[in-house]
Amino acid sequence: MDVKIEESWKAHLQQEFEKPYFKVLTDFVRNEYGKRTVYPPARLIFNAFDNCPFDEVKVVIVGQDPYHQPGQAHGLCFSVNDGVQLPPSLVNIYQEIANDLGKPMPASGNLERWARQGVLLLNATLTVQANRAGSHQGKGWEEFTDAAIHQLATKRDHLVFILWGAYAQRKGASIDTRRHLVLKSPHPSPLSAHRGFFGNKHFSKTNDYLIAHGKTPIDW
C-alpha cells in the first residue's frame, strides 16, 4: 500500500502498511472521512511524522486522541492551530515550562516549532470523529503507533520518551530505560495536573539528557 507519509518513516513502517489490520483501518478511515466530519484534515493525519523524520527524532511525547472540536487538531498531539484558544492541558504544559525554565507563556498553541527541532508529537489514535472523543479508538491506529514507538526504541539510541498519564505509560511500557530516558508523570489535564505534573521538570530534564549525549537541546 502506498501511504503518503514522510519517506524515512515510510521505510521504517512499510511492513505495517502491508498487514491486514492496516487495510481494515484504511477502509474504515476513508469511509469515515467520506460520511462524517473527522479531524484532523485528511492531509494532516501523518503530520507528526511529516514534520519530524525518523533520524531527526530526539524526543517523543505520547498523546491519546486528536482534539475533536473545529479548527483544533492538525496532527500533532497537544498542539492546536494558530489563532485557536489554548486547550487546558496545553495551558498547563506551558505553565510547567514557565516554572521549569523561566520562559514566558506563548500566545500560540501551535507546536510545529517543537516538531521541527526533533520532538515527535504522537497521538496513539490519529483520527477522531467531530465532537466524539475516542470514536476512532480500537480501530487499528494503536497498533500502528505502537509500531512507530517500537521502531524508535529499538533502532535509535538516547531518545527521551515523555509519558504523561496512565495511558501513555502503558503505551511506553516496553521501552528499554537503559537505552533511553523515560520520563513519567500524571497527565497535564486540569483533572490531574496538580497530582504531580506540575513540578515534574520534564523539560529541563529532557534538555540535560540531550546535552549529555551530544545533542542540541530543545527550545521549548
Side-chain angles (χ1 to χ4, degrees), residues 34-46:
K35 290 184 175 179
R36 299 180 173 88
T37 300
V38 177
Y39 301 124
R43 62 186 172 79
L44 298 177
I45 290 173
F46 296 113

Side-chain angles (χ1 to χ4, degrees), residues 88-121:
S89 291
L90 185 54
V91 171
N92 289 339
I93 290 169
Y94 281 171
Q95 185 62 58
E96 176 57 24
I97 292 171
N99 293 339
D100 186 10
L101 300 173
K103 295 176 69 72
M105 294 270 287
S108 172
N110 189 329
L111 302 181
E112 286 181 355
R113 59 193 177 82
W114 292 5
R116 289 193 292 268
Q117 296 177 76
V119 181
L120 182 68
L121 295 160

